[in-house]
Amino acid sequence: SSIGCADTKVETVEKAGKLTSGFGAERGGPKIGPEFTFGIYMQKHVNEPILIIKNAWGGKSLHTDFRPPSAGRYELPKQTKKLWAKHPNGAHGIPKEADRPKWRAEKDKQTGRYYRLMMAQTKKALETIKDVYPGYDPKQGYELAGLVWFQGWNDMCANETYPDGDRNPDGYKSYTDLMAHFIRDVRKEL
């Protein structure tokens, strides 16, 4: 069984049922996502019922959208702050100094939004397992056995957040730190 977001334009679209094609993005016709083959091979491996809870929104970052609570508030790196200080009138994607409070407010609003949606959707799915898998026995219970994470493109392209990026061996170190926070927070919350 599977439940998840089927359309990246609408955050609350859910699909449930036996794992088949159609749980991927729907624009341009039903598609499959990585959960399809993953589910097939996991079923062969464990040979018992599996519930896949898919939370999928494209075009999101770990540094902002999926930022875990323990990572704290999003802050610009020192290098980016210095660059912004040199351009009070804005330039090449840098907001004007007068627009920065609005930028900050929007960033605060977005920070962790998809992490919270993911947690809410996951908890809802766990509370209603019998709805998507009628053979589920609540007395037997369930085991949360893993998390598969396909994400990173939007962080890789975020020059504002990772100004050194691929020019420095530590250019994405803060992504590693954020992922460690993410794993600990997911474990703690679930």
Side-chain angles (χ1 to χ4, degrees):
S1 294
S2 178
I3 185 168
C5 293
D7 190 335
T8 59
K9 294 184 300 182
V10 183
E11 297 160 359
T12 57
V13 172
E14 293 181 1
K15 295 183 90 175
K18 188 170 174 63
L19 183 61
T20 184
S21 63
F23 284 92
E26 294 218 345
R27 278 183 267 164
K31 298 174 180 64
I32 62 169
E35 76 284 347
F36 188 67
T37 304
F38 174 79
I40 290 169
Y41 281 91
M42 285 304 298
Q43 182 64 49
K44 287 178 182 180
H45 179 70
V46 300
N47 197 28
E48 59 185 52
I50 298 171
L51 174 67
I52 296 174
I53 304 170
K54 179 182 178 183
N55 294 275
W57 300 279
K60 304 295 176 244
S61 68
L62 182 59
H63 66 75
T64 299
D65 304 301
F66 279 99
R67 189 178 193 89
S70 69
R73 186 181 198 207
Y74 174 92
E75 296 294 342
L76 289 169
K78 290 177 188 178
Q79 187 176 338
T80 303
K81 286 179 184 178
K82 287 179 184 178
L83 180 64
W84 282 27
K86 290 180 184 178
H87 297 281
N89 295 322
H92 308 292
I94 299 171
K96 293 179 182 180
E97 198 166 353
D99 295 334
R100 292 177 192 172
K102 181 180 177 185
W103 176 90
R104 174 82 262 171
E106 185 57 34
K107 189 60 115 172
D108 286 344
K109 182 179 169 186
Q110 277 302 114
T111 298
R113 182 171 183 221
Y114 286 87
Y115 177 90
R116 292 186 300 275
L117 285 168
M118 177 186 70
M119 284 293 116
Q121 183 169 319
T122 299
K123 289 175 181 180
K124 177 183 173 191
L126 293 173
E127 290 168 2
T128 60
I129 293 174
K130 198 147 179 78
D131 293 347
V132 289
Y133 182 66
Y136 171 68
D137 179 3
K139 291 177 188 170
Q140 185 180 5
Y142 61 84
E143 174 189 11
L144 293 176
L147 170 76
V148 178
W149 184 254
F150 286 98
Q151 186 277 333
W153 176 261
N154 286 77
D155 284 273
M156 183 186 72
C157 298
N159 294 333
E160 175 181 281
T161 302
Y162 308 101
D164 289 331
D166 57 359
R167 294 184 303 266
N168 179 333
D170 291 328
Y172 293 104
K173 183 182 179 319
S174 61
Y175 183 91
T176 303
D177 296 338
L178 286 169
M179 183 52 71
H181 279 282
F182 182 89
I183 291 167
R184 285 190 299 268
D185 285 1
V186 168
R187 284 180 174 162
K188 181 180 176 184
E189 198 160 345
L190 297 176

